[in-house]
Amino acid sequence: LRITDQDQGVHLKALDSTVDLGRVASLVTAAIKSERDSVVQLKTKDRDFEVRVQPFRGIKDGVLGVVASFVDNTEITRSLEE
């Protein structure tokens, strides 16, 4: 993904990455609005990722943010395609 510690807190669309971060930003927005987890499969030129976005909540404040995880599942998806 080419994301570094210095990228923490930077808007997704501003990051330099090989992944379509616009699509990930849409997933984040959907997770916040619905207050539910969102999952999508993303492909780059040479890698496949499962992206999961999970909202986290405060005690009284509702959704405070999200946790986005990227799982490289290239080997699995390639094996299934064969």
Side-chain angles (χ1 to χ4, degrees), residues 57-80:
R57 297 163 183 79
I59 295 172
K60 297 180 183 178
D61 298 321
V63 176
L64 297 176
V66 299
V67 174
S69 58
F70 295 78
V71 177
D72 184 341
N73 59 4
T74 304
E75 299 303 319
I76 295 169
T77 55
R78 288 188 182 158
S79 293
L80 291 172

Side-chain angles (χ1 to χ4, degrees), residues 24 27-28 31 36-42 49-55 66-71:
V24 175
L27 192 66
V28 167
R36 294 179 176 226
D37 295 5
S38 297
V39 180
V40 70
Q41 183 71 24
L42 292 179
F49 296 93
E50 178 184 275
V51 181
R52 180 176 301 271
V53 177
Q54 298 172 293
V66 299
V67 174
S69 58
F70 295 78
V71 177

Side-chain angles (χ1 to χ4, degrees), residues 10-29:
V10 175
H11 192 282
L12 279 173
K13 292 181 180 178
L15 295 173
D16 178 27
S17 177
T18 59
V19 173
D20 179 1
L21 294 175
R23 189 165 174 207
V24 175
S26 296
L27 192 66
V28 167
T29 301

